[in-house]
Amino acid sequence: MTELRNAKEIAACINPNTCPPGTTINKIGKTPHGLQTIRKISAAEFTRWLRSSRLIILGVMLVFIHMQVIRPLCDCAARMGEPVAIQEAFVALGNSGQIVLIIPLLFLVLTADFPQKSGIDLFYQIRCPKKTWILGQTLFAALAAFFLVAFLFLSSGIMILGNATWQTDFSHAVTHYLSVYPDRTADYVVQLLPANLYQQMTLPEAVFYTATLMWFYFLLLALILLLSTLYSRKYAGILADAFLIILGAVTSAADTDTKWLFPMAHTISWIHYTEYFREQIFPIKASYLYLMLCCAGLFACCLAAAGQYQAGKET
């Protein structure tokens, strides 16, 4: 008896007419149902993604983070003669008006080929119920989004270690910078951590809002890619993501009311507040609701489109 180990060979055996006589599918070919299958699909996709050459771009991103975030915070600490908070690097990364365009574009580049349609991924698409495969891909999207958020938090924290300490509130160096240097309002650190942040929320709240809202934003972008793939319109999904990211950045920078139509404005914590008054311009709870409903709606559309998808069809 000949065993089949290659995913394409296994997929070919689904049609009895194309399966060589006397062949059996080994344990790789067994496709259990339910939660175990969902876990295996997401694990296979996540493992393949971690091995992708696309992740090299994260190294380039580290250089960008150091230049745009870490260096200004280090200069602030040096001028004030006291350390900044380690967590402030991540909060600045997720709330800077100049970086909000780069971070989601980074996620889009890293997941542009999601979901995969070759190798073991193609086998799962053919053998598994479509909705089970969609659940597995959604779990992968959630894991990929979490991975990037965790990477940004850890990498920014490690790079700032020499000039920072772990603190439970915004550092004195940041909150009193303009009090000591009132003529330096144009300094980049003021844009990284505006007064809307440290005067309206605690540091733990800022970290929580930045991380969770960013995660929902990434998940939304990934679900758009998944939905477009199910309708065999992969490139339309990439263009839709790019459209949302760019228009969101432009409207947020212009500070128009239309910015709330796009997910980007909802992921920037400080934009929900004025500089001095505690009353919110737009309720941050409403931003969570907006992103959750968008993700839930896209996920429901993906399940509804399961019958439209044809594994192996070019998009």
Side-chain angles (χ1 to χ4, degrees):
M1 302 288 282
T2 304
E3 283 192 346
L4 297 177
R5 297 179 181 275
N6 181 276
K8 291 184 178 179
E9 292 177 354
I10 295 173
C13 279
I14 295 173
N15 184 348
N17 296 325
T18 61
C19 186
T23 49
T24 61
I25 300 176
N26 67 355
K27 63 181 180 179
I28 298 177
K30 295 179 182 178
T31 310
H33 296 287
L35 294 177
Q36 186 180 3
T37 307
I38 295 170
R39 180 186 60 80
K40 286 192 173 184
I41 291 172
S42 61
E45 184 82 19
F46 190 68
T47 302
R48 177 208 58 78
W49 185 65
L50 289 178
R51 294 173 180 172
S52 172
S53 59
R54 290 175 184 267
L55 290 188
I56 295 175
I57 198 173
L58 291 179
V60 179
M61 189 63 190
L62 290 178
V63 178
F64 179 81
I65 292 173
H66 186 271
M67 294 177 60
Q68 296 294 318
V69 176
I70 306 304
R71 185 178 295 175
L73 286 175
C74 289
D75 290 342
C76 172
R79 287 182 184 277
M80 295 294 289
E82 52 187 307
V84 296
I86 291 175
Q87 309 95 302
E88 285 174 338
F90 174 70
V91 173
L93 189 60
N95 287 276
S96 169
Q98 312 237 347
I99 303 176
V100 290
L101 177 64
I102 305 299
I103 301 298
L105 283 177
L106 170 68
F107 183 78
L108 179 58
V109 170
L110 292 175
T111 57
D113 60 349
F114 165 74
Q116 279 285 298
K117 304 185 72 173
S118 60
I120 194 66
D121 302 287
L122 178 60
F123 165 67
Y124 277 123
Q125 292 174 44
I126 296 173
R127 290 295 300 274
C128 296
K130 294 294 189 298
K131 291 184 179 180
T132 301
W133 178 76
I134 290 171
L135 287 170
Q137 294 299 323
T138 303
L139 179 57
F140 160 75
L143 290 173
F146 176 81
F147 173 85
L148 185 55
V149 172
F151 172 83
L152 293 174
F153 179 80
L154 293 174
S155 61
S156 60
I158 291 172
M159 286 190 287
I160 197 70
L161 273 178
N163 298 88
T165 58
W166 187 271
Q167 302 181 30
T168 57
D169 209 345
F170 283 98
S171 65
H172 185 275
V174 168
T175 57
H176 290 76
Y177 186 78
L178 287 180
S179 299
V180 177
Y181 301 101
D183 58 333
R184 304 191 70 90
T185 55
D187 283 7
Y188 193 48
V189 69
V190 178
Q191 301 175 40
L192 288 175
L193 294 167
N196 309 52
L197 267 176
Y198 57 76
Q199 290 185 1
Q200 304 297 355
M201 65 187 78
T202 64
L203 183 57
E205 286 177 334
V207 172
F208 176 79
Y209 291 152
T210 301
T212 52
L213 290 172
M214 188 183 295
W215 180 83
F216 276 116
Y217 189 15
F218 292 161
L219 180 60
L220 185 152
L221 295 176
L223 287 174
I224 291 175
L225 293 178
L226 178 58
L227 180 61
S228 63
T229 298
L230 292 172
Y231 282 103
S232 300
R233 297 289 186 272
K234 181 63 172 287
Y235 294 112
I238 295 175
L239 289 175
D241 275 351
F243 176 81
L244 284 177
I245 293 169
I246 294 172
L247 272 185
V250 170
T251 53
S252 295
D255 197 23
T256 62
D257 290 339
T258 55
K259 65 179 178 289
W260 301 112
L261 296 175
F262 303 97
M264 180 168 289
H266 296 277
T267 64
I268 305 173
S269 303
W270 66 266
I271 211 171
H272 293 77
Y273 297 89
T274 62
E275 185 172 348
Y276 300 107
F277 298 103
R278 185 69 176 176
E279 184 178 356
Q280 296 181 11
I281 298 173
F282 189 91
I284 202 162
K285 290 182 179 179
S287 288
Y288 276 102
L289 182 61
Y290 169 91
L291 291 170
M292 288 178 181
L293 288 177
C294 285
C295 290
L298 286 168
F299 178 66
C301 289
C302 287
L303 292 178
Q308 304 288 329
Y309 183 59
Q310 299 179 28
K313 183 177 179 180
E314 295 297 326
T315 58

